Amino acid sequence: MNKKMIALSTAITLGLGSMFTIQHADAESIKEMQEKTKKIEEQQSGVKLDINRADQDINKLQNQQETVEQQIHRLELAINDSTQKIAEKGIQIEETKEEIEALKAEIIVLKDRIAKRNELLKERAVSLQESGGNVSYLEVLLGSSSFSDFIGRVGAVTTIVEADQEILKQHEIDKKDLEDKQKSVETKLNNLESMRAELENMKSQLTAQKGQKDKLMAQLEEKEDDAHELKMNLKEEEENLAAQASAMKEAINLEKNRLAELEAARKKAAAEEKKRAAEAAAAAAKQSAASAKSSSGSSSSNTPAVTSAPPVSSGQFTRPSAGRVTSQIGSRWNKFHAGIDIAQSGTVPVVAAADGVVIRSYLSSSYGNCIMVSHSIGGQTYTTVYAHLSSRNVGSGQVVAKGQQIGIMGNTGHSFGQHLHFELHKGAWNVSKTNAVNPLNYVSM
């Protein structure tokens, strides 16, 4: 009887000691989770700052685009104006060419007129040759028979001389007029062609400037698209961090409740210790009976395995789905591919790689149907990501077991064929994927 009481007392003492050890270990775990939660909250604050900076970059890029757009508009107006002026100069050049053609007709008339005057002068020269060749106007005057005849001969000579001089004078005037008109029209045509060439050169320069501005506008638009994509990714990261922080806080509350229950159990055990010591024999008998009943009444419980899911391995992580690995972690399409791709046709179940809590179950523009799960293994926190699912079987905050089906392989989001994109992060997930590790180093495929 005394031996049974001693054994019972020892068992109670060992049980309470074990309870204290568990409580101490769990308190350390809570402290660690609180530190990680604080770190996540700091990351959230940093992400918010990044989002604000992205907004500032977007506003700056939009202002730059507005300025460039105004410059392009002014260049287009200048190009249109120069085009119109070039067209006007073209019309003026055509009119000047028509004027030149008309002048050519006038030149023909002037040349004909000059030719007729030359003929007249030639005829007079012939007449002089026929009357003696060397007869001078002085001899004509000295040959007069009377003063009145002299006066008449003077008038005739004067008339002939004046006529010849007038012919020569008009001859020179017509020649000068012809030369002036030719020079004036040719100068006008040269000026118009020079102005048109300058306008065409200016239009060419304006067109080149507009091409540069169009190129700059395209670059600014591309940068704005990148900034929007970065902001969207940061928003997604902010939501994921918020979900992680919320999940950890909930886990801490659950752990506190569990510790409170352990403390209550400890107090209850201490209060009943005296009573159990007084009724040691009865308690021992009851304990033996209860143990016998428990042994005889227990039965094996076999949880039927999901036949279509991959078998659960004994390591820290199990294979998330059946299929073959089609792409590994590393650089792909000038970007970092943060996980592995597993492809398989048909209806393919996707299972949790380890015990954990669902951080987030949602539809992402890039990941498609996506599930993120947080795991704590050997004091280390891990995050697994299951993307491009056709459907999701679990919700945010849900506790999942290793090998439990959480979805079906699919082709949603930024995907080019049915497959599972699987990521493993040593720590929390972030948009830059700095904590990503190679799943093949942790999961046997």
Side-chain angles (χ1 to χ4, degrees):
M1 183 69 69
N2 291 335
K3 289 183 180 181
K4 291 182 179 180
M5 290 179 64
I6 293 170
L8 180 60
S9 178
T10 301
I12 293 172
T13 302
L14 290 174
L16 290 173
S18 176
M19 207 174 288
F20 290 139
T21 302
I22 293 171
Q23 185 178 9
H24 177 72
D26 289 340
E28 289 295 325
S29 176
I30 289 175
K31 184 179 179 181
E32 181 184 353
M33 292 176 70
Q34 287 173 334
E35 290 175 354
K36 289 181 179 179
T37 302
K38 184 179 179 181
K39 187 176 180 180
I40 290 174
E41 288 172 347
E42 290 173 355
Q43 289 177 343
Q44 282 181 276
S45 179
V47 169
K48 286 180 180 178
L49 290 175
D50 290 340
I51 291 173
N52 290 334
R53 279 194 286 268
D55 282 330
Q56 291 173 2
D57 290 342
I58 289 170
N59 291 333
K60 183 179 178 181
L61 288 168
Q62 288 175 343
N63 290 334
Q64 290 176 344
Q65 287 180 57
E66 186 177 350
T67 300
V68 173
E69 189 174 357
Q70 291 173 355
Q71 293 173 349
I72 291 174
H73 180 65
R74 286 195 293 269
L75 287 170
E76 287 176 344
L77 291 177
I79 290 171
N80 292 336
D81 181 63
S82 60
T83 302
Q84 183 178 354
K85 287 181 178 178
I86 289 171
E88 291 174 356
K89 295 304 174 188
I91 294 172
Q92 292 175 4
I93 287 172
E94 292 302 319
E95 291 175 348
T96 304
K97 287 181 178 179
E98 291 176 1
E99 187 177 350
I100 289 174
E101 293 299 321
L103 181 59
K104 287 180 180 178
E106 291 182 16
I107 290 171
I108 293 172
V109 173
L110 286 172
K111 286 182 177 179
D112 183 60
R113 195 180 299 164
I114 291 170
K116 287 180 180 179
R117 292 196 194 106
N118 286 334
E119 288 297 323
L120 181 59
L121 292 174
K122 286 179 183 177
E123 288 175 1
R124 289 189 180 172
V126 171
S127 177
L128 287 173
Q129 288 177 354
E130 289 176 352
S131 62
N134 295 323
V135 178
S136 66
Y137 292 119
L138 179 61
E139 290 175 345
V140 173
L141 293 173
L142 292 175
S144 58
S145 60
S146 64
F147 183 74
S148 59
D149 184 24
F150 176 78
I151 296 300
R153 289 191 180 203
V154 170
V157 170
T158 301
T159 300
I160 292 171
V161 171
E162 288 178 352
D164 288 344
Q165 289 178 346
E166 185 64 29
I167 289 171
L168 292 172
K169 183 178 180 182
Q170 188 62 45
H171 199 93
E172 293 298 325
I173 291 173
D174 288 345
K175 279 186 177 180
K176 189 175 185 305
D177 186 46
L178 174 61
E179 290 171 354
D180 289 344
K181 282 188 176 181
Q182 283 181 325
K183 186 176 180 181
S184 174
V185 175
E186 287 172 356
T187 301
K188 181 179 179 181
L189 180 61
N190 289 334
N191 289 339
L192 287 170
E193 289 178 341
S194 177
M195 284 188 285
R196 183 169 69 174
E198 289 177 359
L199 286 168
E200 287 175 345
N201 183 48
M202 182 173 68
K203 179 182 177 181
S204 177
Q205 292 178 355
L206 291 170
T207 303
Q209 290 178 20
K210 182 179 180 295
Q212 292 175 351
K213 296 297 181 183
D214 288 338
K215 184 178 179 180
L216 176 60
M217 177 64 81
Q219 291 173 348
L220 291 172
E221 289 175 347
E222 183 177 357
K223 287 182 179 179
E224 184 184 357
D225 289 341
D226 291 341
H228 278 297
E229 183 178 357
L230 173 62
K231 180 182 176 181
M232 183 175 65
N233 290 336
L234 289 170
K235 282 284 188 184
E236 184 172 340
E237 182 180 13
E238 182 184 31
E239 292 171 357
N240 289 335
L241 288 173
Q244 287 185 94
S246 177
M248 284 193 172
K249 286 179 180 178
E250 182 63 25
I252 290 171
N253 290 333
L254 291 173
E255 197 68 9
K256 286 180 178 178
N257 292 337
R258 191 172 69 84
L259 290 176
E261 291 175 358
L262 286 174
E263 179 64 16
R266 185 189 67 79
K267 289 180 178 180
K268 184 177 180 181
E272 292 179 352
E273 183 178 0
K274 291 182 180 181
K275 183 179 179 181
R276 289 181 179 179
E279 300 174 351
K286 287 181 181 180
Q287 182 67 28
S288 299
S291 298
K293 184 177 181 181
S294 175
S295 299
S296 61
S298 62
S299 60
S300 61
S301 175
N302 295 323
T303 303
V306 180
T307 55
S308 57
V312 180
S313 66
S314 58
Q316 290 182 335
F317 295 93
T318 191
R319 185 187 180 103
S321 74
R324 62 188 182 89
V325 177
T326 58
S327 184
Q328 298 190 19
I329 190 171
S331 178
R332 188 179 73 174
W333 303 330
N334 296 323
K335 290 185 177 181
F336 177 57
H337 186 241
I340 62 172
D341 292 342
I342 304 172
Q344 179 76 16
S345 60
T347 303
V348 184
V350 175
V351 302
D355 296 342
V357 178
V358 178
I359 296 171
R360 200 169 179 215
S361 175
Y362 71 115
L363 178 62
S364 166
S365 59
S366 55
Y367 278 141
N369 278 314
C370 176
I371 297 172
M372 294 185 178
V373 181
S374 178
H375 315 273
S376 180
I377 302 173
Q380 174 64 50
T381 300
Y382 295 90
T383 304
T384 52
V385 179
Y386 313 78
H388 308 310
L389 304 175
S390 64
S391 62
R392 293 172 277 124
N393 296 1
V394 294
S396 300
Q398 185 173 336
V399 177
V400 293
K402 181 180 181 182
Q404 177 183 337
Q405 182 174 336
I406 59 176
I408 300 292
M409 185 185 292
N411 186 28
T412 58
H414 190 63
S415 171
F416 302 98
Q418 178 171 295
H419 71 286
L420 169 67
H421 174 75
F422 177 67
E423 296 178 11
L424 178 60
H425 300 261
K426 195 171 183 179
W429 177 93
N430 58 67
V431 71
S432 56
K433 316 292 179 63
T434 55
N435 292 332
V437 293
N438 190 353
L440 297 179
N441 294 337
Y442 295 80
V443 182
S444 177
M445 293 292 177

